[in-house]
Amino acid sequence: GSVGLSRRQALWAVRPLGDGLLPLFAAAETTSVRETPAEFVEPAVRLPIAGLGEEVIGDYRTVRLSLKEHPMALLRSNLQDTHAAASLSALGSDAWVTVAGIVTCRQRPGTASGVIFMTLEDETGFANIIVWPKIFERFRKAVLGGRVVAVTGRVQKEGIVIHVVATRVHDLSHRLRSEEHTSELQSH
């Protein structure tokens, strides 16, 4: 954005540069610095504007954050039965809850007897998840491979520390791809 181009325009502009000589060096080989070899002249193209979902997901793919929006904010309208991370503090201990978010951390300390600790991030904050070994074996693929997951379980509070003890884990990563595609279609 700081050079006056959208991501799509910038990618289009640099695409031919990987296929041969860079224009700077090609220009040095011509008789005049002002001449641009014909193979480097791109026809003017009007590219469709990328939708918000496509922009946000592109930001996350490249730098793992976006200043435009959080990916979970884009998915939230399709996750009516999930609580935002910030709402967990208002719930009582032992309340049943489903939270969803981007997996930012998975830990399985050697001293934790096979327990996995996950951190989910949504547009409101973070949710700490505890996955016991039996639950891990049942939902192994989602726990290890999900980039975006929904976790159902009981709220556990110890002072200001809040965890969700998982009973189910579902991989929602496909929803990001769907949001990117839907956003792309809406921009045309």
Side-chain angles (χ1 to χ4, degrees):
S2 63
V3 294
L5 299 172
S6 71
R7 171 182 280 109
R8 188 174 277 167
Q9 291 169 322
L11 288 172
W12 182 267
V14 300
R15 182 80 178 173
L17 299 180
D19 297 338
L21 289 175
L22 295 175
L24 174 66
F25 300 117
E29 293 177 8
T30 62
T31 56
S32 169
V33 175
R34 293 173 198 220
E35 289 180 32
T36 301
E39 67 263 19
F40 291 115
V41 177
E42 284 287 327
V45 175
R46 183 173 164 89
L47 298 171
I49 297 170
L52 179 61
E54 186 179 359
E55 287 281 336
V56 168
I57 292 167
D59 289 347
Y60 267 81
R61 280 188 180 137
T62 55
V63 293
R64 301 290 185 237
L65 65 95
S66 178
L67 299 178
K68 295 171 183 71
E69 188 65 82
H70 192 282
M72 291 307 297
L74 301 173
L75 299 176
R76 183 65 61 194
S77 64
N78 295 322
L79 299 171
Q80 294 87 0
D81 296 331
T82 62
H83 284 76
S87 71
L88 295 177
S89 61
L91 300 173
S93 201
D94 291 329
W96 280 100
V97 66
T98 299
V99 293
I102 295 173
V103 180
T104 60
C105 179
R106 291 179 184 91
Q107 297 180 33
R108 190 175 190 178
T111 58
S113 303
V115 175
I116 294 179
F117 300 96
M118 296 173 64
T119 303
L120 304 185
E121 176 188 344
D122 70 12
E123 71 277 21
T124 68
F126 297 93
N128 298 310
I129 311 298
I130 297 173
V131 182
W132 292 104
K134 285 183 182 180
I135 300 301
F136 170 67
E137 288 306 319
R138 188 169 169 203
F139 298 101
R140 179 184 194 92
K141 187 175 178 181
V143 171
L144 293 180
R147 294 182 318 164
V148 177
V149 298
V151 175
T152 300
R154 288 201 182 268
V155 174
Q156 181 183 66
K157 291 184 174 183
E158 295 288 332
I160 61 170
V161 178
I162 303 170
H163 289 92
V164 175
V165 180
T167 57
R168 302 186 96 138
V169 181
H170 296 284
D171 187 351
L172 302 178
S173 302
H174 65 281
R175 299 244 181 131
L176 280 181
R177 289 184 294 278
S178 175
E179 177 61 35
E180 179 180 31
H181 182 68
T182 300
S183 175
E184 186 178 329
L185 292 176
Q186 290 170 349
S187 70
H188 292 287

